[in-house]
Amino acid sequence: MKMDDQYYMMEALKEAKKAGEINEVPIGAVIVLHDKIIARGHNLRETEQNAIFHAELLAIDRACQSQGTWRLEEATLYVTLEPCPMCAGAIIQSRVKRVVFGANDPKGGCVGTFMNLLQDERFNHQAEVTSGILGAECGEILTEFFKGIRLRKKAEKEARKAMLEKG
């Protein structure tokens, strides 16, 4: 682990909090090149009603725009949740050198948990991977978000039931 990993993961967590504040799944990402953040992103899937508006894809798009190239060969991507297959594909295609993620995703993580696309030698590019950086903090923000959703749904259900009982 590089000492900067925690610092940059904290920056990714700031992005995740931005997503949570607008009722998006709180996942955030930053891309670092030569010790400088060149792009940021957080989930906007619900806001934009677009399946590809994941934190990583938005950050990769912004990084490519800022650098004037689709190749991010010296860049490191920091993301709070293990990338899904779509994001792992974009990481491979953009040639990101290194990926650092916080929490594992047992349902869709494709950087070691469910499968590992980023280090599959059948692809023409592999990325270095570091996992578990601020993993507890990254997992906690997701746990709290989904707990809030469950509580809201339960309250809505109880309110509907009470209205029906009143007649």
Side-chain angles (χ1 to χ4, degrees), residues 160-167:
R160 278 194 302 275
K161 183 179 175 186
M163 297 238 338
L164 289 173
E165 289 172 355
K166 282 184 177 178

Side-chain angles (χ1 to χ4, degrees), residues 2-3 29 31 37 43 46 49 62 69 78 80-82 85 97 104 108 139 142 156 162 164-165:
K2 296 181 179 181
M3 286 308 292
I31 297 181
I37 295 173
N43 271 8
E46 295 296 331
Q49 288 299 298
R62 292 170 183 154
T69 180
Y78 291 84
T80 56
L81 183 67
E82 179 180 3
K97 181 178 185 174
N104 288 25
L142 288 161
E156 288 169 6
L164 289 173
E165 289 172 355

